[in-house]
Amino acid sequence: MISLSFKHIFVGAHASEFEASLKAAVSNAFFAAGFPEVMHFDRSEIFSGFLGKFEKIALQHRLVVLIDDWDYPLSQSFGDQDAFALITATLRSFYVWLGEMPNLRFVLVTGTMHYRETATVLEGISFQDLSMDPDVAALLGYTQEEMETVFASYIGLAAHRQAISTEALLHKLKLLYGGLCFDEDAAVKLYCPYSVNHFFAAVTSQSKEPYFGYYWKCSANTKAALEAYLQQYPLEHEELLQLVQHKFTLSYEELNLAPLCGPVSFKVLLVQAGYFALQDIVADSEVELAPQERSYNCVVPNHEVGKEFDLLLERYLMGYNAKKWLSTESVGIGSSPSLR
């Protein structure tokens, strides 16, 4: 199994730095999987030639390739159009190589965000998008049942140390860390595992007091990219009103197809980044059997994410584009309890 995390690949100021870091990451991943010979591959070769040397290994073994945070280098360079374009070109070469590698058993690529420019990265490569697949809806979070069974002993201990009932503790956990949902049936609601794990980490400690902290901001790597997007693509007035109210509607096509086939709206990016989640299917589209015919109500999933989203929105409202709107018409900030 070859495991790569793009979060640890150095982006750098030049394409050559990112390419060199990607070469090193690929070599280290193969080395960790039991192929020491890769450390002798000449990294000064052109990118395609260097990657081609790994095909001999692929011919002799059925490889499983796991790639996490595939979009992280793009998010880190989104505010620099030249750097973004160069990194996109390098990633395109990488995925062409991966798509053509012989004898692969399975490839799983995970990440957070698509951008309008990245449709070409996977262009021509056969893959299945599982982003809204109900069969894997619970893969990256804790369900209510898991919270109440797997963490049963922790919940009891935490409630005792907080001097509240287990029901009250579960209610607080849901308000703070629950509500995540991304499947096309809008049925599976999840808790953020990063936040839940951090909360319970202090429960068994004698020196730490468990508290309801805001942990999600440390696990998400999308704020800089969203702010850079807003600098390039100002919000329309109606869209800004919807964001202040913490609720908007998106179609299945917007959520699932637009990232691969055309421009992406800021609202779609907010769902991809986890700032908004699917609450339910819009009533007049729920009778449709095909998911492609549905529309979804999207909301900020919990208090923890809401706090970070309000900070993001407030920074935008204090900028040049917000001043343009506020000089002509109020956007009703005072009507939103979360922005008081």
Side-chain angles (χ1 to χ4, degrees):
M1 183 180 73
I2 311 300
S3 179
L4 271 167
S5 174
F6 277 33
K7 185 176 180 179
H8 304 297
I9 296 177
F10 179 65
V11 174
H14 305 285
S16 59
E17 293 178 293
F18 174 67
E19 186 177 294
S21 183
L22 183 53
K23 287 178 178 178
V26 173
S27 296
N28 291 336
F30 273 80
F31 177 81
F35 304 106
E37 64 270 27
V38 303
M39 305 309 289
H40 301 292
F41 291 174
D42 185 3
R43 298 184 192 177
S44 65
E45 281 196 61
I46 62 171
F47 194 50
S48 59
F50 171 79
L51 293 177
K53 293 183 176 296
F54 292 84
E55 293 185 8
K56 182 178 180 181
I57 295 174
L59 286 169
Q60 298 172 348
H61 304 271
R62 295 200 67 196
L63 300 178
V64 172
V65 180
L66 306 179
I67 298 176
D68 191 24
D69 289 310
W70 86 280
D71 57 313
Y72 185 78
L74 297 165
S75 296
Q76 297 306 297
S77 60
F78 190 76
D80 186 335
Q81 292 186 1
D82 292 336
F84 190 90
L86 291 171
I87 289 175
T88 299
T90 301
L91 288 176
R92 185 185 305 117
S93 298
F94 172 82
Y95 284 106
V96 167
W97 163 74
L98 185 61
E100 295 177 348
M101 184 179 289
N103 210 30
L104 284 180
R105 180 181 179 185
F106 181 74
V107 177
L108 177 65
V109 180
T110 65
T112 303
M113 298 172 70
H114 289 288
Y115 304 101
R116 65 183 72 204
E117 295 88 347
T118 60
T120 58
V121 171
L122 301 174
E123 187 177 18
I125 301 174
S126 176
F127 69 97
Q128 182 181 0
D129 189 349
L130 301 175
S131 301
M132 296 183 68
D133 191 327
D135 289 339
V136 295
L139 184 63
L140 299 178
Y142 297 135
T143 64
Q144 186 66 36
E145 181 182 2
E146 289 170 335
M147 287 290 294
E148 296 179 13
T149 56
V150 176
F151 293 99
S153 59
Y154 289 90
I155 289 172
L157 184 56
H160 174 74
R161 296 188 63 179
Q162 288 279 322
I164 59 177
S165 67
T166 57
E167 292 78 11
L169 181 79
L170 284 169
H171 180 67
K172 283 191 174 184
L173 290 173
K174 179 178 287 188
L175 289 178
L176 269 170
Y177 311 132
L180 304 180
C181 179
F182 307 99
D183 72 283
E184 63 188 27
D185 294 331
V188 180
K189 302 297 193 288
L190 302 172
Y191 288 78
C192 175
Y194 186 88
S195 301
V196 170
N197 290 347
H198 274 72
F199 172 79
F200 283 127
V203 170
T204 57
S205 171
Q206 297 300 317
S207 59
K208 296 179 182 179
E209 188 67 29
Y211 65 95
F212 298 98
Y214 294 89
Y215 308 104
W216 181 79
K217 63 182 179 180
C218 298
S219 69
N221 304 305
T222 55
K223 182 176 67 175
L226 291 173
E227 290 179 338
Y229 182 98
L230 287 174
Q231 292 176 7
Q232 297 183 44
Y233 308 104
L235 296 174
E236 296 293 335
H237 190 199
E238 184 61 32
E239 187 173 26
L240 183 57
L241 285 171
Q242 293 174 350
L243 297 182
V244 168
Q245 295 167 7
H246 282 196
K247 187 173 182 177
F248 53 74
T249 300
L250 290 174
S251 69
Y252 178 94
E253 182 178 14
E254 289 174 302
L255 286 165
N256 199 54
L257 300 180
L260 302 178
C261 304
V264 183
S265 74
F266 185 63
K267 290 186 290 187
V268 172
L269 290 181
L270 286 172
V271 175
Q272 293 174 357
Y275 283 88
F276 279 70
L278 307 186
Q279 182 184 49
D280 51 33
I281 302 171
V282 175
D284 60 1
S285 68
E286 195 167 5
V287 296
E288 301 289 348
L289 295 178
Q292 292 80 359
E293 301 296 327
R294 298 172 181 168
S295 292
Y296 300 86
N297 292 315
C298 304
V299 298
V300 173
N302 55 51
H303 291 179
E304 180 184 43
V305 176
K307 180 179 179 180
E308 284 305 302
F309 176 69
D310 285 345
L311 291 174
L312 175 71
L313 195 58
E314 286 171 2
R315 281 192 291 270
Y316 177 76
L317 290 171
M318 293 173 64
Y320 171 80
N321 294 300
K323 291 178 181 178
K324 182 176 70 171
W325 290 118
L326 293 173
S327 65
T328 58
E329 183 177 355
S330 170
V331 297
I333 301 175
S335 63
S336 174
S338 58
L339 289 179
R340 288 185 299 206

